[in-house]
Amino acid sequence: MLVNCQKNDYKPEFIKAEIISSKIDSLNSEKEVQAFVSKLKYPFFEQKISEDSIRIYRKFEKFELKRISEFKRDCRFDEDTLTKKVADSLKINKSFYKSDFDNNGFTDLLIIGDAHTCFGMAGCKEMESISCDFSVYTLMNFGNDSINSIDLNFITKSLSLVPKIIDTELGSFIELHKPKEYNYENRKLEIVNKRIPLIYKYGTFIEHNIKNKNYDIENIEFIAHGCVAGCSEFIISIDSNKNGKFNALNYNWFDKNFSSDLEPNDIDGEFKTIVSNEHFNEIYGIINYLDFPNLDNSYYSGAMHSSSVTLKITYDDGKIKTIKDDGLIGTYGLKRVYEMFYELRFNQEWK
């Protein structure tokens, strides 16, 4: 008998960080978590004009913690019934959960609730108008009262989902259960019962890829298309030698989050640079991790006046993968890729 002593499945070594006590560890009731969340503020965007900066904060003061069983929205379609059944089967019966998702030693929070960001749903009483929002956030804890919020329901705020924390020998993950999905082609709400495993990686939550196949990426081109609402329009490409090209077409403000209250300068023209090692490795790394050849070729949100982008990847001796995304809703991983390219306009020395 021959015995193969070589392991077929290599698992990287994982060392769980020791817990560093913080405010979140002392929160044990929904009332305590609600008080903590209501006082939170985090940088929403930063205005940059010349050497001056004005930081604008977005608050969670309107966020109302809710258990999934407590949602009772549009009575015409009863969208939450199936979600409640899924939550019940998974024993998700709280409005908040704790875990250290990024293994930095600080306990993070996952919260479920109503941010009261949209209205107009038909309530169960005559002439009643109720909130249509269904929000799930992770509040990433970096100590010293530094909290970074991540929206786990960014695609649509009205459709509900069920988040479940999975603790494994390789750390904590989030498994999102999506009972229903809106099909924009036939304009119908469909039962999908989809499960999306998410891992904290590259500064946010992206789809967990256990295969992690490496491709020889030769060039990446990112095109942000304009829109009637004044969306940023530009083209950025990066080749395998870190050569970057930036063609700024329209609405590329020096302030990356332009506000009508201020008048920063618009950038236009063609620029070049050698992309920094940090950002090159980050962009090439995440695209490889996403197993991009197996992603869909197109995504469509159906939203009016939304941004749209095209991602073109040349790899493995001339193969080309093109992804078109109307609404920037493709996947969690793609969303982070798009953010990286939007940020690249301002974090490199373009000449």
Side-chain angles (χ1 to χ4, degrees):
M1 179 181 295
L2 297 177
V3 179
N4 184 0
C5 297
Q6 185 176 1
K7 292 183 179 180
N8 293 324
D9 297 321
Y10 169 75
K11 293 183 178 179
E13 183 181 5
F14 175 82
I15 301 175
K16 186 173 178 59
E18 293 185 10
I19 294 297
I20 304 171
S21 181
S22 66
K23 176 65 176 178
I24 289 177
D25 294 296
S26 67
L27 306 175
N28 297 308
S29 69
E30 185 174 283
K31 183 178 179 181
E32 291 173 337
V33 174
Q34 181 68 72
F36 174 78
V37 170
S38 297
K39 294 178 182 178
L40 277 181
K41 64 178 183 178
Y42 62 93
F44 185 37
F45 57 83
E46 186 174 2
Q47 301 287 355
K48 296 181 180 179
I49 302 180
S50 300
E51 299 300 322
D52 300 322
S53 294
I54 302 174
R55 178 158 289 193
I56 309 298
Y57 288 92
R58 181 175 179 178
K59 299 180 180 181
F60 277 98
E61 56 190 6
K62 294 183 179 180
F63 190 94
E64 178 187 1
L65 284 170
K66 278 187 180 180
R67 295 185 291 274
I68 291 176
S69 60
E70 295 176 322
F71 278 90
K72 192 174 183 180
R73 301 180 294 165
D74 198 330
C75 285
R76 296 170 301 174
F77 307 111
D78 200 13
E79 294 180 10
D80 297 319
T81 298
L82 182 56
T83 307
K84 291 177 183 179
K85 290 180 179 179
V86 173
D88 186 59
S89 68
L90 295 173
K91 295 181 171 57
I92 304 301
N93 51 21
K94 295 169 57 178
S95 60
F96 71 94
Y97 291 89
K98 299 180 185 179
S99 190
D100 183 7
F101 297 114
D102 55 356
N103 197 41
N104 68 347
F106 294 103
T107 303
D108 309 308
L109 262 179
L110 184 151
I111 57 174
I112 303 168
D114 183 354
H116 295 282
T117 57
C118 61
F119 294 90
M121 300 285 275
C124 298
K125 299 178 181 178
E126 188 176 356
M127 303 300 291
E128 180 185 27
S129 180
I130 59 177
S131 171
C132 58
D133 180 82
F134 186 104
S135 291
V136 179
Y137 284 92
T138 54
L139 304 179
M140 305 304 295
N141 184 3
F142 299 100
N144 297 321
D145 296 325
S146 177
I147 300 291
N148 180 38
S149 70
I150 298 176
D151 187 355
L152 295 184
N153 198 15
F154 71 91
I155 294 178
T156 170
K157 304 302 292 181
S158 61
L159 292 185
S160 49
L161 49 81
V162 182
K164 181 178 177 60
I165 297 175
I166 308 293
D167 292 314
T168 74
E169 60 182 5
L170 295 179
S172 295
F173 304 88
I174 296 176
E175 188 175 72
L176 291 183
H177 293 251
K178 295 182 65 176
K180 294 184 179 182
E181 202 167 73
Y182 191 79
N183 187 320
Y184 287 98
E185 291 185 2
N186 59 28
R187 298 185 179 183
K188 289 184 178 180
L189 197 61
E190 298 177 346
I191 296 177
V192 292
N193 289 324
K194 183 185 294 184
R195 291 192 300 174
I196 308 173
L198 299 180
I199 182 175
Y200 186 85
K201 202 174 181 68
Y202 297 102
T204 191
F205 284 92
I206 63 176
E207 288 82 359
H208 189 197
N209 179 12
I210 58 175
K211 297 179 181 179
N212 204 12
K213 182 178 179 181
N214 270 328
Y215 299 93
D216 182 18
I217 300 177
E218 300 159 15
N219 189 74
I220 303 171
E221 182 180 71
F222 179 81
I223 304 172
H225 304 284
C227 68
V228 295
C231 305
S232 297
E233 186 178 1
F234 64 92
I235 304 171
I236 291 181
S237 64
I238 310 172
D239 67 20
S240 56
N241 293 317
K242 304 176 187 174
N243 295 306
K245 295 180 180 179
F246 172 29
N247 187 1
L249 300 172
N250 285 301
Y251 302 109
N252 292 282
W253 304 102
F254 180 59
D255 158 32
K256 62 182 177 181
N257 293 288
F258 171 66
S259 167
S260 59
D261 297 331
L262 300 170
E263 296 182 357
N265 294 323
D266 190 8
I267 300 172
D268 59 74
E270 297 183 1
F271 306 89
K272 295 181 180 180
T273 194
I274 300 297
V275 177
S276 68
N277 288 334
E278 175 189 356
H279 293 97
F280 175 85
N281 292 335
E282 191 176 43
I283 291 174
Y284 267 61
I286 187 174
I287 289 179
N288 244 323
Y289 183 83
L290 296 180
D291 194 20
F292 63 89
N294 292 312
L295 295 177
D296 291 346
N297 294 326
S298 63
Y299 299 91
Y300 177 67
S301 71
M304 295 180 63
H305 310 313
S306 63
S307 300
S308 62
V309 300
T310 299
L311 184 66
K312 181 179 178 181
I313 305 164
T314 305
Y315 68 105
D316 291 355
D317 294 324
K319 294 180 181 177
I320 296 176
K321 172 69 174 184
T322 302
I323 300 172
K324 296 182 178 180
D325 193 336
D326 183 355
L328 282 63
I329 50 84
T331 69
Y332 288 83
L334 283 174
K335 178 176 181 287
R336 180 61 185 132
V337 171
Y338 305 155
E339 290 172 349
M340 289 178 178
F341 274 97
Y342 276 89
E343 293 166 359
L344 208 65
R345 297 173 296 165
F346 306 102
N347 58 26
Q348 302 299 301
E349 296 294 329
W350 297 102
K351 298 179 180 178

